[in-house]
Amino acid sequence: YWERGHLDALLDRHPSVHRSFFDGEPRAVLTLQEAAVAIERDVPFLPRATGLGFHGRVEELQAVVGEVETGAKPFIVLHGPGGVGKTRLMFETGSALADRGWQVLWANKETMTTGRWYEGIVAERPTVLLVDEPENEQLLRQLVEQVGIGRVGDWRVIVNVRSPKDPVLKFLGKPGQQRSTAFIEVRPLAPEAAESFAQELIDSSPSLSSLPAARRQSAAKRLARDFDRFPVWISLAVDLLESNGDLAKLPDSVEALADAYLDEIYSQQAGFPPETIETLLRWVALLETTNSEDDNELDLLRQVVDLPGIAELQRALGALVSRKVVARRGARDRLLEVKPDVMRDHVLRRWLLVWSEFGEPGWLPTADAKVLMDALVKAVVEGTLSQRHRRVLRSIARCEAGLLQSERSEVPLLPLLVDGFTACLTSLPASKRVSLAEILVPIAPLRPLLVLDLCDRMKEDACDEEVVETLLGPRSVTNDDVVLELSWLVFHAAMGARDSNERTRVVRSLASLVEAEHGIRDRRDRWP
C-alpha cells in the first residue's frame, strides 16, 4: 500500500512517464540518457566516438548556453554542414544546461506532431527542448505556437539544421519570428581539435593503440588534414584504418574515403551482386524515408533493383541495416533511411552527378539524373504528382543544398528541373500552374533567381479559364488564381536571397505582384 502511494507521488512529479507507460501515449520526448543511447545506436561507424572527449567546441557551447540563459531569444538554431558535429554539440549543451538546473528534453520528432504531447511535461520548470534536424516545418510551427505564445513557462528550443536557409526554417524566418530566433554557425573543428579528436580515436582502438606513439601521432595529423576536420569523416577513416591497419592504403580525400566505405559494403553482401546493392541503396536514399510496411513501396524497390520477390528484397535491406548504412526508426522500426545524412548525399551525388574537367571544370547531370527530372516534369504536366514524387524532389533539393553550401561550383540538378517546367509552361492549364507554384516552394530558397524568373513567366503568360471537378462540385480556376498563388512562392524565394542582386529581384517581383493583385481586386470589386 505504501509503495503504491510512493509510486503515485513519483508519477505526479513525472507526468510524461505516466502518459507513456500507463496511458498508452507515444513517447514525445526523451531524457538525455535515452537520447545518448539512441545516438550511439544509430552511429554507423565507431559508436565509441560518442563517448569520447568533446573537442574544440568551447566557444560554440558557451554561446548557446549564453543565449539560453539570457532568454532574449527562445529559439536557437545551430546550422552547419552534415557531419560537422551539430548533434554532439547540441547534446553536450543539453548536458551543461542540465547541470545548471534546466529540465532538458530530446524531441522524438516522429511523435511530437501528433497529440497533445506538452500535457505530459511539467511546463512550469525552466526547460530546454532539443530538436535534431526536423524534417519539415510542422513541428517548428507547433512549437512556436505552444512555446512562443506563453502557454508554457520559461522554455527554450534548440534546433539543428544544415543551413539557415533550410526550407524547414521558413516559419522561423518570418519577420515577426526573426526577433525571437538566434542563429549560431557550427564550423569544422580547428586543426588542433581535429588532431586531438583523431588521436583519441586511435588511442582508444583495440587494434591501433599498440602502434608506436610516433606512428599514432603521425596518423592523427594526417586524418585531421585530409578529411576536412569533420568528425564524421575522421571517425570513418579510423574505422577503415582498423580494418586494414595500413595508413598507406587509406584514401586521401573525403570523396575517396566515402567511395571506399560504400564499395566495401557493396562487395560484402553475400548472394547479391554489388550492382544490385548499389542500386537499392541509391533508391532508398532517393526516397528519403522508405516505409517497410508499404507493399507498393517495396514493390517499387523490387522492380528497380530487379529482384524476383519481396523476400529477396527484405533480405537485401536487412543486410544494409546490419551494416548500419541504412537505419530503422519510427513505430515498429518500419521506416528506413540512409544514415548518416552526409553518406546519403554522397550516394545521390555519386549517382546523379559527374565531375567534368572538359572546358570549365564543374558538375554535370548523369543520364539517370535527366531521366528522374523528366519524370518529375511529366508528373506535373499529367497531373499525377504523388507524395513519392515530392519526397524525391525534397531529397534532390537537400543533396544540392549540401553541395552549394560546401562548394563554389555550380550544381545543375534543380536548374535542369526548373528548365523543364519552363519549357512546358505554355501547355499547362490554370489548375496545373497553381499546383506548380506550390510544388516549387521547397526549391525557392535554394534557387531564388530561377524561381523568380519562372514566376515572372507565369504572371505574364496568361492562361485560359479552366473548370475542374472537386469534392464540392465543379470549380472555375482562372489566371487570377495562378497570380494569387505566386506571392507565397516569391516569399520563400526571398528567404534564400543572399546578395543585393537577388534581393532586388525579390522586391521587383513582389511589387509587380502587388500591382497584379490590385488589378484582380478592381475586376472583382473586392479583395480575393
Side-chain angles (χ1 to χ4, degrees):
Y1 174 82
W2 289 111
E3 287 303 320
R4 171 68 180 270
H6 180 59
L7 177 61
D8 288 342
L10 287 174
L11 291 175
D12 289 340
R13 289 174 54 193
H14 302 279
S16 62
V17 177
H18 186 277
R19 287 170 58 85
S20 298
F21 294 96
F22 295 92
D23 285 349
E25 294 285 341
R27 297 293 306 279
V29 293
L30 306 177
T31 65
L32 276 181
Q33 292 80 3
E34 291 171 314
V37 173
I39 292 171
E40 182 175 351
R41 180 194 63 210
D42 293 339
V43 171
F45 25 77
L46 290 192
R48 72 174 186 275
T50 60
L52 298 181
F54 187 51
H55 299 269
R57 297 293 186 203
V58 175
E59 291 185 5
E60 293 96 329
L61 189 147
Q62 290 177 344
V64 182
V65 170
E67 289 287 352
V68 168
E69 296 201 321
T70 58
K73 298 181 177 181
F75 287 86
I76 299 118
V77 174
L78 306 180
H79 63 90
V84 78
K86 300 186 300 296
T87 299
R88 179 69 186 274
L89 173 60
M90 188 167 71
F91 179 85
E92 296 294 340
T93 301
S95 298
L97 290 168
D99 292 340
R100 294 170 180 246
W102 288 80
Q103 175 179 231
V104 180
L105 306 173
W106 189 278
N108 189 4
K109 298 172 294 186
E110 287 77 24
T111 59
M112 284 192 71
T113 54
T114 60
R116 300 172 66 86
W117 62 270
Y118 48 83
E119 291 183 349
I121 297 170
V122 182
E124 292 72 26
R125 289 184 59 187
T127 300
V128 177
L129 180 65
L130 309 177
V131 186
D132 192 23
E133 294 205 359
E135 297 177 0
N136 53 58
E137 71 165 354
Q138 182 181 356
L139 175 57
L140 295 183
R141 181 184 295 272
Q142 185 181 45
L143 291 175
V144 168
E145 293 172 352
Q146 293 162 356
V147 176
I149 64 176
R151 190 211 76 83
V152 296
D154 193 15
W155 275 56
R156 309 287 185 271
V157 178
I158 302 176
V159 183
N160 266 350
V161 293
R162 293 198 181 191
S163 166
K165 304 298 183 184
D166 194 310
V168 305
L169 290 180
K170 56 181 177 282
F171 192 69
L172 293 180
K174 291 183 177 181
Q177 190 61 38
Q178 284 182 340
R179 294 189 296 272
S180 302
T181 306
F183 290 87
I184 297 176
E185 183 177 5
V186 184
R187 300 177 180 271
L189 293 171
E192 298 80 7
E195 183 178 334
S196 176
F197 176 64
Q199 185 76 59
E200 187 172 5
L201 286 177
I202 293 172
D203 291 345
S204 63
S205 168
S207 60
L208 301 177
S209 58
S210 59
L211 295 175
R215 189 176 175 188
R216 284 184 276 126
Q217 185 176 9
S218 174
K221 287 181 178 293
R222 182 189 160 184
L223 297 184
R225 181 191 69 234
D226 289 350
F227 302 118
D228 297 346
R229 308 195 307 275
F230 276 47
V232 67
W233 298 127
I234 294 174
S235 298
L236 175 56
V238 173
D239 191 23
L240 292 180
L241 190 58
E242 288 180 348
S243 301
N244 56 47
D246 188 353
L247 189 63
K249 294 181 180 180
L250 198 66
D252 58 0
S253 70
V254 167
E255 290 290 321
L257 180 71
D259 284 342
Y261 172 70
L262 291 174
D263 289 341
E264 180 183 334
I265 289 175
Y266 299 152
S267 62
Q268 293 185 1
Q269 306 307 320
F272 296 103
E275 297 80 9
T276 297
I277 298 299
E278 182 176 20
T279 302
L280 178 59
L281 189 64
R282 286 173 172 179
W283 277 89
V284 173
L286 183 66
L287 293 174
E288 201 175 37
T289 302
T290 300
N291 188 346
S292 62
E293 297 179 357
D294 186 331
D295 292 339
N296 292 330
E297 199 130 293
L298 292 179
D299 192 57
L300 169 68
L301 290 176
R302 183 194 63 78
Q303 293 180 44
V304 296
V305 298
D306 194 24
L307 288 173
I310 296 298
E312 289 80 2
L313 173 67
Q314 291 175 332
R315 188 163 67 87
L317 287 171
L320 292 175
V321 170
S322 67
R323 286 301 305 267
K324 290 193 173 183
V325 71
V326 171
R328 291 182 176 273
R329 63 175 178 83
R332 301 178 301 280
D333 286 337
R334 71 190 190 285
L335 303 179
L336 307 175
E337 58 185 10
V338 177
K339 285 291 185 181
D341 292 340
V342 289
M343 193 59 66
R344 179 190 64 196
D345 291 346
H346 181 79
V347 169
L348 293 177
R349 186 186 317 139
R350 185 177 176 178
W351 180 22
L352 302 177
L353 293 168
V354 60
W355 183 262
S356 172
E357 294 287 348
F358 184 77
E360 184 177 351
W363 293 108
L364 295 175
T366 63
D368 285 345
K370 294 178 180 178
V371 170
L372 282 173
M373 298 305 171
D374 289 344
L376 289 172
V377 173
K378 182 180 179 182
V380 171
V381 172
E382 296 180 350
T384 59
L385 196 79
S386 65
Q387 288 300 318
R388 186 180 298 156
H389 288 110
R390 293 174 186 271
R391 285 156 50 199
V392 169
L393 181 57
R394 286 196 304 268
S395 186
I396 291 172
R398 290 200 172 190
C399 175
E400 182 159 317
L403 279 173
L404 288 173
Q405 186 177 16
S406 61
E407 303 183 24
R408 294 183 178 180
S409 53
E410 179 65 14
V411 185
L413 295 178
L414 293 180
L416 185 66
L417 181 65
V418 175
D419 287 346
F421 289 143
T422 303
C424 68
L425 184 62
T426 55
S427 64
L428 290 182
S431 62
K432 292 178 181 176
R433 294 190 184 198
V434 170
S435 297
L436 177 59
E438 184 264 330
I439 291 163
L440 289 171
V441 164
I443 297 176
L446 303 175
R447 292 291 189 172
L449 291 181
L450 285 175
V451 170
L452 290 173
D453 287 341
L454 186 53
C455 280
D456 291 343
R457 286 282 304 274
M458 294 173 72
K459 181 175 68 65
E460 295 165 2
D461 182 22
C463 57
D464 296 332
E465 181 178 352
E466 179 190 12
V467 177
V468 297
E469 290 293 332
T470 70
L471 292 175
L472 301 178
R475 174 177 176 267
S476 176
V477 183
T478 67
N479 193 67
D480 289 348
D481 295 303
V482 177
V483 173
L484 294 174
E485 192 71 26
L486 298 179
S487 296
W488 187 237
L489 183 57
V490 174
F491 167 78
H492 287 91
M495 301 300 298
R498 297 169 181 83
D499 54 40
S500 59
N501 178 44
E502 292 179 347
R503 296 187 186 104
T504 300
R505 282 294 311 280
V506 167
V507 172
R508 288 177 178 171
S509 294
L510 287 173
S512 177
L513 285 173
V514 168
E515 292 180 0
E517 289 180 359
H518 272 277
I520 295 173
R521 181 199 62 177
D522 293 340
R523 286 195 299 275
R524 297 184 178 183
D525 195 29
R526 60 182 176 83
W527 280 111

